[in-house]
Amino acid sequence: MKSQRFLRSLHATRRHSKALVAMPFALIAAVTVVDISAPPDVHLGPFLVAAPAVTSSFAGPRMTAFVGAVAVLAQSVVAIARTSLNDLNHTYQIIALCLISAFVTVFAHLRERHEQEMTQLRSVAETAQHVLMQPLPRRSGPLRIASVYLAAEAEAQLGGDLYALARTADGTRVIVGDARGKGLDAIGEAAGVLGAFRALAHKEARLPELVGHLEDGVTVDRNGTTDGEAEDDYSAEAFVTAAVLDIPDAGSELRLVSCGHPPPLLLHAGEVLSLEVDEPAPPLGLAQLLAPAFTAETFTFGIGDVLLLYTDGVIESRDRSGCFYPLFERVASRCGDGAESLLEYVRADLLRHAGGRLGDDAAMVAIERLPDAAWRPVGRSRRQGVAEKQVETHR
């Protein structure tokens, strides 16, 4: 879908460029006619320089050179009509026009090559995004899934934020995370966590063990060995915040391990709950320094509930006055929306708040539990405004 939009935009730009080609020729014709009919002490020939200069900003080197040649020809016609080609004033104008036309032709060549390189980079980035950030399915058992990724850099399609989903024998496992920093280092950290999650999510029966293996994977990948070799400055400070969830098909609950990640929001019966865990773990990659227990806490998640997972690029987005995006309040105003409509609203509202450009990458995943005869949730009890919690721990 993104590649189709990009190709349509590219074709539209090319059509627009072809329409703009008429402008320099019109300028050449106008300057030539006026200069020929102007008084002897008035010289408009220098304005012909504008034709190839303008052309170089939107056309390729061949068209720029052609427009420059036409401008030189027009200047020669003016010289013959007014005096002669041997006139010193016109001779210098023609030489200057030739030199400037050659210069802007080289500029057009460099600009066109840069655009081709950027097109290739966009293509590579989009391919990497589809490989690394595989699109989440719209359905997973009794769950409806919606996701969105917003890159902070205009030319990038992928940063350090991550999300993934894996089906197990009796449910769905989800991870949403954010690798420290930006650029290739952050992408490498995100790729390592995603690869480990996809490989292990089907094998580990308990969520804390899964998170423990993700932590080991980040640490080993950082050091290159389990013996703790010397690290560079980035690796020594590298970490990934993550929220890892296990959502059984049966029942009305979810289990959550939070590794320094912003708490998910749960929409239920017109209210919004922030799923704050009692025993948060440090971000992946830092646990070896603290030797914490990875604790899975259980929250109720029943039919019709919508869960919103997000990265800190959402809540740390600022408007022109410096105010952070009020995610909780905006989500509260949309209680009753399904996963897709909620996510579409938050995406559009976030971009409006940030003025169309985010300061950091942002990822969001919305999950809605649907009523389905194949997965009948058991009864639950809930206190007003408080999610029920149980605890399982792994050290």
Side-chain angles (χ1 to χ4, degrees), residues 131-134 158 161-165 175-177 187-200 214:
V131 172
L132 181 58
M133 295 285 289
Q134 298 174 5
L158 188 62
D161 289 12
L162 61 98
Y163 53 70
L165 178 148
I175 183 172
V176 173
I187 293 174
E189 293 285 343
V193 173
L194 287 173
F197 176 81
R198 290 170 181 147
L200 298 171
L214 294 180

Side-chain angles (χ1 to χ4, degrees), residues 34-273:
V34 174
D35 199 15
I36 291 176
S37 59
D41 57 340
V42 176
H43 299 279
L44 301 180
F47 286 103
L48 290 174
V49 170
V54 170
T55 305
S56 67
S57 66
F58 61 83
R62 293 183 179 180
M63 178 57 68
T64 302
F66 178 69
V67 171
V70 173
V72 170
L73 178 62
Q75 181 63 61
S76 301
V77 171
V78 171
I80 294 174
R82 298 193 61 167
T83 56
S84 70
L85 284 174
N86 296 326
D87 180 76
L88 187 62
N89 180 49
H90 288 110
T91 298
Y92 280 123
Q93 289 185 31
I94 292 174
I95 293 174
L97 186 55
C98 289
L99 293 176
I100 294 176
S101 296
F103 174 79
V104 296
T105 298
V106 173
F107 170 80
H109 169 71
L110 296 175
R111 179 188 56 78
E112 186 176 67
R113 188 171 66 179
H114 176 71
E115 289 179 351
Q116 292 173 350
E117 291 174 351
M118 292 307 303
T119 300
Q120 292 174 350
L121 287 175
R122 291 191 189 101
S123 177
V124 170
E126 187 169 345
T127 301
Q129 183 184 38
H130 285 295
V131 172
L132 181 58
M133 295 285 289
Q134 298 174 5
L136 300 184
R138 299 185 64 180
R139 284 291 300 270
S140 177
L143 307 178
R144 177 181 288 139
I145 314 292
S147 61
V148 64
Y149 192 104
L150 301 172
E153 297 298 330
E155 304 299 341
Q157 298 293 325
L158 188 62
D161 289 12
L162 61 98
Y163 53 70
L165 178 148
R167 282 291 293 169
T168 63
D170 58 357
T172 300
R173 283 180 168 170
V174 182
I175 183 172
V176 173
D178 183 4
R180 170 190 173 271
K182 298 180 180 180
L184 294 178
D185 289 325
I187 293 174
E189 293 285 343
V193 173
L194 287 173
F197 176 81
R198 290 170 181 147
L200 298 171
H202 309 279
K203 300 177 181 179
E204 292 298 333
R206 300 177 69 248
L207 193 62
E209 275 83 356
L210 170 61
V211 179
H213 286 302
L214 294 180
E215 163 64 26
D216 293 340
V218 172
T219 303
V220 171
D221 182 65
R222 173 201 298 175
N223 296 337
T225 177
T226 57
D227 295 331
E229 295 179 348
E231 305 162 356
D232 58 29
D233 292 339
Y234 178 87
S235 295
E237 301 176 358
F239 59 84
V240 180
T241 68
V244 189
L245 298 94
D246 193 356
I247 307 176
D249 291 337
S252 55
E253 65 181 26
L254 63 84
R255 290 183 288 274
L256 167 65
V257 175
S258 178
C259 300
H261 200 74
L265 300 180
L266 179 65
L267 286 70
H268 168 75
E271 66 174 332
V272 180
L273 304 173

